[in-house]
Amino acid sequence: MKKNSIWVAAFCLFLTGYAQAQISEAHAIEYVKRISPSELDSTLPEGKLSDWLTKIFGKDATVEWELNDCGEQTGNPYVDKQRDLPICVEIYAKLAERRKLWITILVGTDQQGIIDSPAIYSLYLESDGQIRSFTRLSQVANALTHFPLGKTKKQ
């Protein structure tokens, strides 16, 4: 009986992985790198997102890109199989002054594949043990260039 449960669980995980495999991680990441910053935030310039991020992150940043489920899987393959789970490209950057930034961009769903209108899913900036969330990329850029976390403006 226990072997059957393990087999069923493994098969369900295989099916979940197969659905996500329809969007290639390399293809999705390349797609996001080429998106114009202005497509995600109308106040930002035209160009490639990857170039713009390099400019605001600074030369000492370490950047990782990955394809994931936007944190939406429940862990129950029976429940998740019934849902059209979102697919995101997450950009994780370790920045100067021990700051960390997570940018999650919705690029599609399991069933629809890559969508024409990518969108910001979440933005988090951590510094000195504090985490701030943002709704727009321009807010992050402003925080990184003008008001580093952990430092207060003089009144």
Side-chain angles (χ1 to χ4, degrees), residues 13-147:
L13 287 173
F14 168 78
L15 288 178
T16 302
Y18 177 75
Q20 284 187 340
Q22 292 177 4
I23 296 178
S24 150
E25 181 170 34
H27 176 73
I29 290 171
E30 192 58 34
Y31 170 68
V32 170
K33 286 181 175 182
R34 291 181 182 191
I35 291 171
S36 176
S38 64
E39 193 173 339
L40 298 171
D41 183 333
S42 62
T43 65
L44 296 177
E46 293 288 327
K48 290 182 181 178
L49 181 63
S50 59
D51 294 342
W52 182 80
L53 290 174
T54 299
K55 183 178 175 183
I56 68 158
F57 287 168
K59 65 180 183 206
D60 296 328
T62 302
V63 182
E64 297 173 16
W65 299 73
E66 80 168 27
L67 185 67
N68 62 42
D69 66 359
C70 311
E72 292 295 322
Q73 284 192 31
T74 65
N76 182 333
Y78 300 108
V79 171
D80 291 340
K81 184 179 173 186
Q82 306 301 318
R83 300 170 58 211
D84 186 15
L85 291 168
I87 301 295
C88 288
V89 169
E90 185 170 82
I91 304 153
Y92 169 65
K94 290 181 183 178
L95 308 169
E97 300 175 21
R98 297 187 338 212
R99 294 179 292 176
K100 299 175 188 168
L101 176 67
W102 292 266
I103 302 171
T104 307
I105 300 172
L106 176 70
V107 295
T109 71
D110 279 340
Q111 294 173 12
Q112 296 175 21
I114 294 207
I115 57 176
D116 290 335
S117 301
I120 296 295
Y121 195 83
S122 62
L123 293 167
Y124 296 98
L125 181 61
E126 178 185 338
S127 179
D128 294 332
Q130 295 179 321
I131 297 177
R132 290 178 49 192
S133 64
F134 300 91
T135 56
R136 301 177 63 106
L137 278 174
S138 55
Q139 294 169 321
V140 173
N142 188 46
L144 290 174
T145 57
H146 296 100
F147 307 108

